[in-house]
Amino acid sequence: MYNFKYHPDPLKTGMFHNDKTVTCPCCGRDTDVYYIGPFYSVEEVNNLCPDCISSGAAAEKFDGAFQDDMSVDEVSDESRLDELISRTPGYCGWQQEYWLACCDDYCAFLGYYDWKALEALGIAEELEKTYRKDICGIDFEDAKEHLTYNEGYLFRCLHCGKHYIYFDFD
């Protein structure tokens, strides 16, 4: 149906819904899978279909972006930034979404997780090693405490497989 390199399962993460049929404002076709996440443009745009997102047609038609290009890690290949902001569904953050990178490429967004869920995945120790105080703003121990009653945004590197957590509730 759809394949997004940096957001592999937007239906699971809740950025796509499939509870009714809507008309995509970009292509004008009816779709039963539609986007409900952030889209930054002058116009208010809702219910984009996966095809118009993945092709870049929605970003082009509405001169918009799915991610703020100032709220991303840097990578050397500008085509990767273009794919992220123009052809990848975003995610909803508490304050300001931020997209992580590793191995000179953007990571895949996996979803929203609290500390208990991260422990259940068996990646809690790994996250302590990959934790980025530079973007989260607090020490790891404080982050763990916050994540007991809040959710963070889980990412995985497409190349080395490392997991990273980001949150914006400080």
Side-chain angles (χ1 to χ4, degrees):
M1 173 185 269
Y2 50 82
N3 182 20
F4 298 103
K5 178 178 176 182
Y6 300 124
H7 195 151
D9 198 348
L11 195 56
K12 178 183 171 195
T13 64
M15 293 300 95
F16 281 169
H17 280 191
N18 63 346
D19 56 348
K20 62 184 177 182
T21 299
V22 299
T23 301
C24 175
C26 184
C27 66
R29 293 188 311 246
D30 287 342
T31 181
D32 60 354
V33 177
Y34 58 97
Y35 182 63
I36 59 125
F39 184 67
Y40 305 99
S41 70
V42 173
E43 293 181 56
E44 181 75 23
V45 180
N46 297 304
N47 303 329
L48 292 165
C49 73
D51 290 337
C52 287
I53 295 172
S54 66
S55 70
E60 184 177 336
K61 179 175 183 171
F62 299 108
D63 193 24
F66 296 95
Q67 174 67 35
D68 174 9
D69 66 352
M70 300 305 290
S71 297
V72 299
D73 280 346
E74 289 187 34
V75 299
S76 62
D77 184 345
E78 288 195 28
S79 70
R80 292 175 173 171
L81 176 61
D82 182 62
E83 180 173 353
L84 178 68
I85 66 173
S86 301
R87 296 185 304 281
T88 301
Y91 70 94
C92 293
W94 178 258
Q95 295 178 32
Q96 175 62 50
E97 299 84 10
Y98 189 89
W99 214 285
L100 302 173
C102 181
C103 296
D104 200 31
D105 197 359
Y106 293 105
C107 294
F109 174 67
L110 302 181
Y112 308 92
Y113 291 83
D114 63 15
W115 191 251
K116 191 175 200 174
L118 295 168
E119 287 180 320
L121 288 174
I123 60 172
E125 285 185 32
E126 176 188 355
L127 290 173
E128 184 172 6
K129 294 175 186 166
T130 62
Y131 181 70
R132 303 238 342 245
K133 182 180 177 181
D134 64 317
I135 57 169
C136 293
I138 61 175
D139 291 326
F140 182 74
E141 289 304 315
D142 293 330
K144 277 177 42 177
E145 182 180 328
H146 283 298
L147 287 168
T148 60
Y149 51 89
N150 292 296
E151 292 181 320
Y153 319 117
L154 183 62
F155 292 85
R156 184 185 64 238
C157 178
L158 298 172
H159 304 281
C160 70
K162 289 181 184 173
H163 289 91
Y164 294 87
I165 193 78
Y166 169 69
F167 51 82
D168 55 358
F169 49 74
D170 184 37

